[in-house]
Amino acid sequence: CCICKRIMLGKYGTKNRKLLDKQTNMKRTYLLLVALLTVSSLTHAHVVKENESALVYYMPKTQLAITLSYDRIEQVPGAFYQYAQRYLGTSDVITEPTVTYQLNNVTLGTHASADTTRAYKIPVHGAHNTHLVSLTQDGRLLGYNCPAASCECSVSESMTMHRTCAKSPVLPLLEEQLMASSTAKMAEGAAKLIYRIRETRIQLLAGDVEHLPADGTSMQLVLEELDQQEKQLVELFVGTTTVTPCTQTLYYTPGEDVTDLVVGRFSRFAGVVSQDDLSGEPIYLTLQAHKQVLQEPKLKLKPCGLFAHLYHNLPGTANVVLRFQDMHIAQEVAVAQYGVSVPVSNSLFMGKKVSIVINPETGNILSIQQ
């Protein structure tokens, strides 16, 4: 007791103090060793021994998938941008080449992979037929004795899309404009072509031409061709703007609670950049974990006589909040690693063949049929 310790310390001094500390450390070491042996005895059944034939599967691990949808905007000045005000009467032109990025949307999803720290085994010569076990390519459990169609899962992968625009270095001008003695004369000739196209369009719509197109479809094709020619000529003055839609996904593995963690940044001039690149605006993540706790059953069930080899997962959840400037997302997601592994009772496998479908994203049971 504390009083005895004080009397002994007061009576015998520093020497006995060191002896008591040594005894306390030995007790702590013993308790830790007992705990480790207990855990080892629980997990020893899932360690694959040498020359042992067993099917190994894993519980899933959840990653947050933060998908950014944005546009890459490339602006290129036209060859005659200096003459746009004189010949077309507009000053709204591109004067220098620029590339900018605009964020349109942020979505939050999940991506599952195998958690190699939570591995389980099914002996080949055991109570369960290993050929009836369905696994994903990375070893996650899909089901037991379930049809192939039921066990299949579609995994959507994020892709970055690039749309290329063919740029022709040849100016859409006639010989008369191309043979001009100066750039100003070429610009003047291009402007005259624009006005001529516009007059032709008006005449076609008014029916004031000798040979009209045969039908409505032909008329539509002619008008579309005139619009395309005018667009190419006008771009010589005002410039071209190419918008390329892109997507990029950032992944984060949930662990402990976090508040306003910077998971990425978005820059108007560089797009998606790393967390430590201060040229971009930060994307903040706040996560509150709700881990699953396995409750002890009130009624003790009799063991079936066989060690359970088929385990499923009871996933936990997390409240996730994403913030970027004025964008805000609040969502509750299922997190596999916040869960606990629960054995499937061996009594299900006695008698008729049972069919079990597992959710490969979270590891929980979707259905059981006999």
Side-chain angles (χ1 to χ4, degrees):
C1 65
C2 298
I3 298 176
C4 295
K5 287 183 179 179
R6 291 175 182 174
I7 295 174
M8 291 178 67
L9 289 174
K11 184 175 181 180
Y12 296 103
T14 307
K15 183 176 180 181
N16 285 306
R17 183 191 298 273
K18 293 181 179 179
L19 181 60
L20 287 175
D21 290 342
K22 186 176 180 181
Q23 292 176 351
T24 303
N25 292 334
M26 290 177 63
K27 289 181 180 179
R28 290 177 180 173
T29 304
Y30 173 76
L31 292 175
L32 180 60
L33 182 60
V34 170
L36 289 175
L37 289 175
T38 303
V39 174
S40 176
S41 63
L42 292 175
T43 60
H44 180 70
H46 297 287
V47 176
V48 180
K49 302 176 182 178
E50 188 177 359
N51 297 327
E52 180 184 9
S53 298
L55 177 67
V56 178
Y57 64 95
Y58 305 99
M59 290 294 148
K61 178 173 61 176
T62 303
Q63 286 182 307
L64 299 180
I66 305 166
T67 303
L68 309 177
S69 301
Y70 58 97
D71 290 333
R72 182 183 184 273
I73 306 171
E74 182 180 4
Q75 293 184 321
V76 180
F80 306 142
Y81 75 92
Q82 296 175 332
Y83 305 97
Q85 180 65 39
R86 181 191 304 180
Y87 296 116
L88 297 185
T90 179
S91 58
D92 186 14
V93 298
I94 301 171
T95 58
E96 58 182 11
T98 59
V99 176
T100 56
Y101 297 83
Q102 179 180 341
L103 184 63
N104 300 322
N105 191 26
V106 180
T107 58
L108 176 63
T110 57
H111 173 76
S113 59
D115 189 353
T116 56
T117 63
R118 301 170 68 192
Y120 296 86
K121 72 174 183 179
I122 302 177
V124 173
H125 304 290
H128 307 304
N129 296 322
T130 54
H131 68 277
L132 296 178
V133 179
S134 302
L135 302 178
T136 62
Q137 291 184 354
D138 58 356
R140 286 173 288 139
L141 192 62
L142 278 174
Y144 181 83
N145 191 31
C146 61
S150 302
C151 294
E152 289 179 357
C153 62
S154 59
V155 180
S156 58
E157 297 182 356
S158 299
M159 299 178 63
T160 303
M161 298 176 293
H162 296 285
R163 185 174 59 197
T164 58
C165 298
K167 296 181 180 179
S168 175
V170 181
L171 299 179
L173 302 177
L174 300 178
E175 182 182 2
E176 180 183 352
Q177 289 80 35
L178 292 174
M179 296 298 292
S181 58
S182 63
T183 305
K185 284 292 183 180
M186 293 176 64
E188 182 181 358
K192 289 181 179 180
L193 283 177
I194 293 173
Y195 296 133
R196 190 183 305 171
I197 291 172
R198 292 175 179 176
E199 291 174 0
T200 302
R201 184 191 298 110
I202 293 174
Q203 291 173 356
L204 282 172
L205 294 175
D208 190 15
V209 293
E210 282 189 37
H211 303 287
L212 282 172
D215 51 24
T217 303
S218 300
M219 173 69 80
Q220 183 67 28
L221 292 175
V222 171
L223 292 176
E224 289 177 357
E225 184 62 27
L226 290 175
D227 292 341
Q228 182 63 25
Q229 291 179 7
E230 181 184 356
K231 179 177 178 294
Q232 292 178 356
L233 291 169
V234 169
E235 286 178 347
L236 294 177
F237 293 90
V238 301
T240 59
T241 300
T242 304
V243 179
T244 305
C246 305
T247 60
Q248 187 165 339
T249 303
L250 307 175
Y251 293 99
Y252 175 77
T253 303
E256 300 300 325
D257 293 356
V258 293
T259 302
D260 288 342
L261 174 70
V262 178
V263 292
R265 293 178 181 268
F266 187 84
S267 169
R268 183 172 177 266
F269 302 101
V272 181
V273 296
S274 60
Q275 298 97 318
D276 54 356
D277 190 342
L278 299 182
S279 65
E281 293 291 328
I283 302 171
Y284 293 108
L285 170 70
T286 298
L287 183 143
Q288 184 179 7
H290 300 285
K291 299 182 179 181
Q292 192 75 254
V293 178
L294 188 62
Q295 300 292 338
E296 290 292 336
K298 294 181 180 179
L299 297 177
K300 297 294 184 179
L301 300 177
K302 294 182 179 179
C304 298
L306 296 174
F307 186 83
H309 294 294
L310 200 64
Y311 281 72
H312 69 98
N313 189 50
L314 293 179
T317 59
N319 292 329
V320 181
V321 177
L322 282 175
R323 289 190 302 108
F324 177 77
Q325 295 180 346
D326 58 344
M327 297 182 181
H328 181 271
I329 298 176
Q331 186 174 334
E332 184 181 63
V333 298
V335 181
Q337 58 266 34
Y338 288 166
V340 292
S341 301
V342 180
V344 180
S345 175
N346 285 320
S347 60
L348 290 175
F349 304 95
M350 297 179 179
K352 297 182 179 180
K353 284 189 176 181
V354 65
S355 176
I356 302 175
V357 179
I358 303 291
N359 184 350
E361 302 293 318
T362 56
N364 60 300
I365 294 179
L366 294 177
S367 66
I368 300 178
Q369 295 180 353
Q370 288 186 342

